[in-house]
Amino acid sequence: MERPEAEVLGASDSCQAGEAEPGTGPAEEEPGGGAAGTMMEDCLSKKIEITVSEAEKRTGRNAMNMQETYTAYLIETRAVESQTEGQCSPPDSLWRRYSEFELLRNYLLVNYPHIVVPPLPEKRAEFVWHKLSADNMDPDFVERRRIGLENFLIRVASHPIICQDKIFYSFLTQEGGWKEMVNETGFQLKADSRLKALNATFRVKNPDKRFTELKHYSDELQSVISHLLRVRARVADRLYGVYKVHGNYGRVFSEWSAIEKEMGDGLQSAGHHMDVYAASIDDILEEEEHYADQLKEYLFYAEALRAVCRKHELMQYDLEMAAQDLASKKQQCEELATGTLRTFSLKGMTSKLFGQETPEQREGKIKVLEEQIHEGEEQLKSKNVEGREFVKSAWTDIERFKEQKNQDLKEALINYAVMQISMCKKGIQVWTNAKECFSKM
């Protein structure tokens, strides 16, 4: 009996995984026949404008009939065509809780395992400096999360594949009955267990080199951004202190001006500039939080990348288990047909102790095994095809994500640098103004 081809081929080998580094795979057409560029033109974001316009604190009863306080977010959608034609129709609107956003994303993760699904903003504040509240009901935090939820919806609506999902469209347009509609899809039953995923990680024999390296990259990306956010929080703490200490200059100059006749006006004016400088740090650090949130988005994107890698490991593991089971059945069939045993088995020992099977019994077992082998070969062939399609689709989306990531992070870092330069220029201007005040004394 020849060994099943898929046992040594695998989903990874069928895509020549060892010949390409992460990020070098060719951009393939997405399933469905349309090129990615054509699909981008059909994105939902091109047809409707999506905003999360406000957040509202509410009180209600949870599933345990206990009173809880939560935040609801107002989603507004308006057709782009009506705006281009000069019509200003009122937007459609509905309210959603954060938990409903979570349900939507979980649905997308299960139904589109080959997609790097955009992450949600943090549920509770992380990497905060001491003047920021970690309370998830804090108005400033709720406002930043509102912006993050809007960004999430725009990301999904701009994706060439998941933007076309009916459940996502209903999330934007149908307030009542949406949860029931999602649960009726049965997506929870298709979700892979964490234990199964962990088992696949350690037991897969032929991992795809590209996905292994991508998983390592996502770990490194998460680590680097985490360190960057911690550094930024420490700098913000110290910067806040430095700026606020400048307020002491203002107080001292004001007190000094009271005992000076000729220098009084100059000292008073200089003190005013110091007070303005000290107060400006609040707006500066509030603007900094915007760039910190952009970095946090890619901190959470790292987990989305790992989710795609884990799914591939699971598929590869299932493929290898199917190939192993098929090889075992072929060996059993060969042993029954020839009457020889290659390996020790309980059945073989039983036969020696209690006598051999009759030819009819052996023929019956061989027939059953042949049917199982045929089914196993078809199943293996199907898993190989499924694996190849997954790798093709996943790598296409990974390429799309990498292009998006490079552009977004480049823009965020440049804007952050520009903000720091502007902040330094304002500091120079304050001291220049103070110098002029001193010169007029």
Side-chain angles (χ1 to χ4, degrees), residues 257-274:
S257 68
I259 62 172
E260 298 286 353
K261 293 182 179 180
E262 290 81 6
M263 298 194 305
D265 290 343
L267 289 168
Q268 185 72 32
S269 297
H272 170 71
H273 288 302
M274 292 299 131

Side-chain angles (χ1 to χ4, degrees), residues 27-28 45 60 101-102 123 258 417:
E28 304 283 355
S45 60
F101 282 88
E102 287 182 308
K123 193 165 188 174

Side-chain angles (χ1 to χ4, degrees), residues 34-54:
T38 304
M39 284 189 166
M40 284 302 292
E41 295 176 3
D42 296 332
C43 282
L44 192 61
S45 60
K46 301 287 184 181
K47 300 175 183 177
I48 63 172
E49 181 184 284
I50 304 169
T51 58
V52 179
S53 57
E54 62 179 277

Side-chain angles (χ1 to χ4, degrees), residues 236-306:
D237 271 330
R238 295 181 183 182
L239 200 60
Y240 183 85
V242 168
Y243 266 70
K244 289 302 182 183
V245 166
H246 277 72
N248 292 335
Y249 279 129
R251 179 177 55 80
V252 171
F253 286 150
S254 179
E255 292 173 355
W256 192 0
S257 68
I259 62 172
E260 298 286 353
K261 293 182 179 180
E262 290 81 6
M263 298 194 305
D265 290 343
L267 289 168
Q268 185 72 32
S269 297
H272 170 71
H273 288 302
M274 292 299 131
D275 289 338
V276 171
Y277 183 65
S280 67
I281 190 60
D282 297 297
D283 290 336
I284 289 171
L285 293 183
E286 185 177 332
E287 185 179 355
E288 268 202 9
E289 284 304 313
H290 169 69
Y291 298 111
D293 288 339
Q294 287 181 317
L295 289 175
K296 285 180 183 178
E297 181 185 21
Y298 280 92
L299 180 74
F300 305 140
Y301 254 126
E303 176 55 30
L305 277 176
R306 283 197 293 272

